[in-house]
Amino acid sequence: MAEPCKIPAAMVAESVERSYVLKIDGYSRVKGLLKNGKFVASTPFSVGGHNWTVKYYPNGCPKYCDDFISLYVHHESAGAKEVKAKLTLNVLDKNGNPVPSYTRTTPVNTFSRKAPTCGYYDFIPKDELEGSAHLRGDCLTIRCDVTVLKEIEEAMVPPSDLHRHLGDLLKSNDAADMTFQVDGQRYSAHRCVVAARSSVFKAELLGAMEESSGSTIVIRDMEADVFESFLHFIYTDSVPPALDVVMAGHLLVAADRYNIGRLKVICEEKLCSHIDSNMVATSLALAEQHGFRRLKEACLQFLASPSNLEAMMTSDGYEHLKSSCPAVLKELIARIIPAEFTSAKDIIMTMWK
């Protein structure tokens, strides 16, 4: 069955942007009053339901040299959940436009209680600013653009329930337009579903084969309970939870006959993982007759053990294996007799002719 699919919460639904202008009148006086690590904070402003302040360090923030002006934006909303935001910090020219060389943009940052601040310790070199035309009348104007990203809630996509709906359709027989006749029983079905699941049924129902003109398909050489499980798989893509090896063997033949690849893999795996002395002869004969190479190899590996081989020869399926598939017994003998005993091998192989 399909597994739940988890969608991460980082999918952006919308964003809210607001700009705040910080004007530093008396640039020189502020620089002289505040030492390295000291700052001027703006009044709080709100963006996206969160409060923010801008912190201006005229002589740099702590732990860094005082050659730069440092600028940070601080998330002020105490106890609020984490918020993602992007910042653009600009020095404005005399016309109020951002100066490209003094514009810095952060990546999207997560602001939290433990990490409430984001910005640049090296926002502007002081000597470069002081020699420019953007410090007018000892006044510096900075604009901070805050874009808050609003996110959708984390969600779980439920697993597909298509199999359940198709299973209900099979049980109800609603809009059924064909019938299978199997072992004296009749089963209603939907030709579009059956044809979509099996290329063999598609040819019979939608192609030029004889049964395409009728509404009933007769299934021979299959028991009714096997066909019920087979039809259930066609609609639901699932096998009974308590699938036993006998039913798995019958369904494997049906899956091969009607080209239902997934069912074939499931049943062959079931038989490969449940090989024992009582069933190995039957499984080996099945594999040999229908060309199930993986199952055949699993059986031959099991029978490479002398004790398993002896037990198999006393099982109910051994006589059928010997009479119907003598070639596979020769192959088994060729495997288990060491290569140096070629004469003995030739004698035994002659006896099997």
Side-chain angles (χ1 to χ4, degrees), residues 59-73:
N59 289 299
C61 62
K63 300 181 181 179
Y64 294 99
C65 68
D66 59 3
D67 295 336
F68 296 92
I69 294 171
S70 300
L71 195 67
Y72 289 89
V73 174

Side-chain angles (χ1 to χ4, degrees), residues 332-344:
L332 173 61
I333 292 168
R335 282 193 177 204
I336 62 178
I337 295 179
E340 56 267 25
F341 297 127
T342 54
S343 297

Side-chain angles (χ1 to χ4, degrees), residues 57-318:
Y57 295 79
N59 289 299
C61 62
K63 300 181 181 179
Y64 294 99
C65 68
D66 59 3
D67 295 336
F68 296 92
I69 294 171
S70 300
L71 195 67
Y72 289 89
V73 174
H74 186 79
H75 181 227
E76 293 284 344
S77 300
K81 293 182 179 180
E82 291 184 350
V83 59
K84 294 183 185 296
K86 182 174 68 173
L87 311 175
T88 299
L89 309 176
N90 317 267
V91 171
L92 301 183
D93 63 16
K94 63 180 180 179
N95 298 316
N97 297 317
V99 178
S101 57
Y102 295 147
T103 297
R104 305 283 291 272
T105 299
T106 70
V108 174
N109 183 69
T110 300
F111 292 84
S112 65
R113 183 179 298 180
K114 292 183 178 180
T117 301
C118 181
Y120 296 96
Y121 76 90
D122 56 349
F123 178 57
I124 311 173
K126 289 191 296 183
D127 57 352
E128 187 175 313
L129 173 68
E130 291 165 5
S132 73
H134 307 302
L135 189 61
R136 304 176 309 280
D138 205 34
C139 177
L140 174 65
T141 306
I142 297 172
R143 191 182 77 192
C144 175
D145 303 325
V146 179
T147 304
V148 173
L149 308 180
K150 291 191 174 183
E151 301 167 351
I152 61 174
E153 294 290 330
E154 186 171 344
M156 291 292 291
V157 177
S160 171
D161 57 358
L162 176 62
H163 62 286
R164 181 172 61 81
H165 291 297
L166 289 177
D168 291 343
L169 184 66
L170 175 63
K171 291 177 183 177
S172 68
N173 294 329
D174 290 343
D177 56 359
M178 65 161 297
T179 303
F180 287 103
Q181 185 172 319
V182 187
D183 196 24
Q185 303 291 325
R186 297 176 69 83
Y187 300 91
S188 298
H190 306 80
R191 63 174 60 217
C192 60
V193 176
V194 174
R197 296 284 280 152
S198 163
S199 60
V200 177
F201 284 137
K202 182 178 182 180
E204 293 183 359
L205 293 167
L206 307 180
M209 294 180 66
E210 179 181 352
E211 277 133 339
S212 62
S213 60
S215 60
T216 300
I217 292 182
V218 178
I219 304 293
R220 298 178 175 85
D221 303 322
M222 189 182 301
E223 296 178 0
D225 61 337
V226 175
F227 182 77
E228 286 181 12
S229 294
F230 179 63
L231 189 60
H232 176 80
F233 184 89
I234 285 177
Y235 276 77
T236 67
D237 208 40
S238 64
V239 296
L243 178 67
D244 59 45
V245 292
V246 175
M247 179 59 77
H250 291 309
L251 288 176
L252 178 58
V253 174
D256 184 59
R257 177 177 170 183
Y258 291 102
N259 194 27
I260 310 290
R262 176 172 149 80
L263 179 58
K264 183 176 175 179
V265 171
I266 291 172
C267 294
E268 192 167 10
E269 173 61 27
K270 178 74 174 182
L271 293 175
C272 288
S273 60
H274 289 80
I275 295 175
D276 59 28
S277 300
N278 292 324
M279 289 298 299
V280 66
T282 301
S283 295
L284 183 55
L286 181 70
E288 181 70 4
Q289 291 168 346
H290 294 276
F292 303 138
R293 289 180 292 179
R294 186 164 175 267
L295 179 59
K296 176 180 176 179
E297 182 61 29
C299 291
L300 291 176
Q301 289 183 12
F302 178 83
L303 292 172
S305 164
S307 60
N308 290 341
L309 178 60
E310 290 178 9
M312 182 272 289
M313 294 176 69
T314 63
S315 68
D316 294 337
Y318 174 65

